[in-house]
Amino acid sequence: GAVVSQHPSWVICKSGTSVKIECRSLDFQATTMFWYRQFPKQSLMLMATSNEGSKATYEQGVEKDKFLINHASLTLSTLTVTSAHPEDSSFYICSARDRDQYYEQYFGPGTRLTVT
Amino acid sequence: AQKVTQAQTEISVVEKEDVTLDCVYETRDTTYYLFWYKQPPSGELVFLIRRNSFDEQNEISGRYSWNFQKSTSSFNFTITASQVVDSAVYFCALSIPNRDDKIIFGKGTRLHILP
């Protein structure tokens, strides 16, 4: 089956620093990737939709200058949390839509970010 | 606008009991997909099922079964003879194809199976 990886699986950083999270589709090409954020005991909230070669589309209330998304290739999207603060601590999950099987979307294992 | 409601925040049942997780959705689109995902303590989402709006047949997969009823906009999930390993958070979700394909999640139901 299709696999989506995320790196790192967990990260601890100091307040004010930036953190980059990678999302890769390992055995398929993804024209679209989605980034979600999940706070403890809450649901997944879509942050942004990332299309290969174009700017990401952010959901209302998500600061695009704080959460930088780059989708430079058909297998890689990155989310950079800039100037992280403790309130950015969360579980970040990406999903990737298979270019060849349009309706199939696969989720990565998630990245747990802790900002101290 | 689309919306998914999982009214049961948390459920506890004793092992071997059957349990049904409720899901009610809202959309004006006639073409849509419904999903169920399982999220164990590890955090990784496990895909359970996808159902399109034109297929109202109920689905059974081992101890899992799903009841899709368009008349009540519901897509309920039943676990038969529950096991401790079924303990997890279960999310019902909805997406609209050919528009933005965003998956909209319900708030989830935390299921505790007690030994």
Side-chain angles (χ1 to χ4, degrees):
Chain A
V3 177
V4 175
S5 71
Q6 283 185 240
H7 178 80
S9 55
W10 61 269
V11 57
I12 301 173
C13 72
K14 291 188 176 180
S15 189
T17 61
S18 296
V19 172
K20 181 185 285 188
I21 302 170
E22 292 185 349
C23 176
R24 291 182 186 272
S25 56
L26 298 186
D27 48 4
F28 66 97
Q29 294 187 320
T31 51
T32 304
M33 290 184 173
F34 303 87
W35 286 96
Y36 295 82
R37 179 169 54 183
Q38 184 181 30
F39 292 111
K41 297 197 175 183
Q42 294 190 24
S43 187
L44 283 77
M45 297 301 295
L46 180 67
M47 298 175 66
T49 302
S50 161
N51 291 299
E52 188 264 338
S54 63
K55 289 185 178 180
T57 303
Y58 290 82
E59 294 298 300
Q60 193 171 9
V62 177
E63 299 174 60
K64 60 181 179 182
D65 295 330
K66 180 169 186 60
F67 299 100
L68 301 179
I69 292 173
N70 184 281
H71 192 161
S73 77
L74 286 173
T75 58
L76 173 65
S77 176
T78 60
L79 167 67
T80 301
V81 183
T82 63
S83 187
H85 291 285
E87 56 265 32
D88 298 323
S89 298
S90 188
F91 192 53
Y92 293 87
I93 304 174
C94 72
S95 71
R97 189 172 72 194
D98 189 330
R99 183 188 66 172
D100 296 325
Q101 297 189 63
Y102 188 81
Y103 300 120
E104 296 295 343
Q105 204 175 123
Y106 304 97
F107 282 85
T111 296
R112 194 165 301 280
L113 169 64
T114 301
V115 184
T116 61
Chain B
Q2 293 76 40
K3 186 178 178 183
V4 177
T5 301
Q6 295 179 256
Q8 305 149 308
T9 305
E10 203 156 344
I11 300 175
S12 294
V13 299
V14 177
E15 197 173 19
K16 298 183 183 175
E17 288 185 354
D18 299 346
V19 59
T20 295
L21 309 183
D22 298 332
C23 174
V24 174
Y25 62 93
E26 294 176 31
T27 180
R28 292 184 178 178
D29 293 87
T30 56
T31 303
Y32 51 88
Y33 287 102
L34 295 167
F35 305 82
W36 275 95
Y37 290 90
K38 174 182 180 180
Q39 188 177 43
S42 64
E44 185 163 358
L45 279 179
V46 178
F47 168 82
L48 296 179
I49 190 172
R50 182 185 70 203
R51 173 67 71 213
N52 75 57
S53 52
F54 299 109
D55 183 1
E56 275 194 86
Q57 280 192 350
N58 290 331
E59 176 98 5
I60 298 175
S61 177
R63 296 184 296 106
Y64 295 171
S65 62
W66 291 269
N67 184 299
F68 176 26
Q69 292 197 346
K70 290 175 76 170
S71 61
T72 56
S73 298
S74 64
F75 187 43
N76 297 337
F77 171 35
T78 297
I79 301 175
T80 303
S82 60
Q83 300 176 2
V84 173
V85 293
D86 296 326
S87 297
V89 180
Y90 290 85
F91 292 100
C92 181
L94 166 75
S95 76
I96 311 299
N98 299 326
R99 187 190 293 179
D100 49 28
D101 291 307
K102 295 187 287 190
I103 296 182
I104 298 160
F105 287 85
K107 295 193 172 186
T109 296
R110 186 172 298 272
L111 178 63
H112 301 279
I113 308 298
L114 309 173

